[in-house]
Amino acid sequence: MAGEASSSRQKRQRLKRQRLKRQRLVEEEEEENGGGDVVARSGTLLNLDLLDCPVCFDSLKKTKPIFRCDNGHIACSSCCTKLRHICPSCTLPIGIYRCRIMEEVVKAIIVPCPNTKHGCTETFSYGKELVHEKKCVFSMCYCPAPNCNYRGLYKDLYIHFYRTHYSHMEDKFNCGRPNEAWLRINEKMVVLQELKISDDGPLVVVQCFNEPGGWYVTVNCIAPSAPGVGEYSFDLKYQAPAGGEKQIMRFYSSEMNRIQKVSFQTPEKDFMLIPHYFQDRRNSIKMTIWIHRLQKKT
């Protein structure tokens, strides 16, 4: 009995010393921080894939709650239902017990914008950075000129295009005025650059796609979807040769689509259809386009 009492006393003394030690460490940390609140600790996660569901690979931020099996394997709620609550790693039941520690970890993770190396300084909760990336002003844009691999920030791209590829005055456009656009069938597109004193006029791409029903014509501005960047409306007109006023087609869009890279896939929407019988036998389509800069919202 005496031995057990001595052992219990020693254990209590050891626990007391540990508590005092922890208290001193907290007091020292508060002194280093000027007596204020303890600064939250941070670390670096080298593999962000660990924050994705190992089954569907979607972000666990968007698919919570997160569940675990008795062996510690995790899966999102959607996958647990699809798998009929059988763990794909060990076949034990999954979808009953939530992995709350993983939910807290995912909630606490802060990640930078994918365009950090290009100059963006924004940070977000994990999973939300992809939403921001679509509207980030630092997103990369690609040169529309054939066989050119240049990519860069949108203003740098505009300067590059002007200094490297610009050659025809007719490939310029003035906002608010009628501009002629000659679409050469074999080239399938024409790039118009806004006429400005500086070299960084925005780029507008007019493309044509030969389909069974006729020519699909699209108009897009090469720019990120950031507020205040590349925001235009346009009015497109095509008149059949020698067709008079009865054979005029018009297409209006209150907001021009913005793209970061030219695509040659047939569009499913936002195009003007010109029937083949409206076109003459020349290898080009002459169109008139009015481009208007959208007013900034106050």
Side-chain angles (χ1 to χ4, degrees), residues 26-43:
V26 171
E27 291 174 351
E28 290 175 359
E29 191 170 358
E30 288 180 346
E31 290 179 0
E32 291 177 359
N33 294 322
D37 297 333
V38 178
V39 176
R41 293 182 298 170
S42 62

Side-chain angles (χ1 to χ4, degrees), residues 31 39 51 105 144 182 249 258 270 287 293:
E31 290 179 0
V39 176
L51 303 179
V105 168
W182 283 89
M249 303 186 66
R258 287 172 286 181
D270 299 332
M287 310 197 71
R293 184 175 288 104

Side-chain angles (χ1 to χ4, degrees), residues 141 146 186 248:
C141 293
N186 60 331
I248 292 179

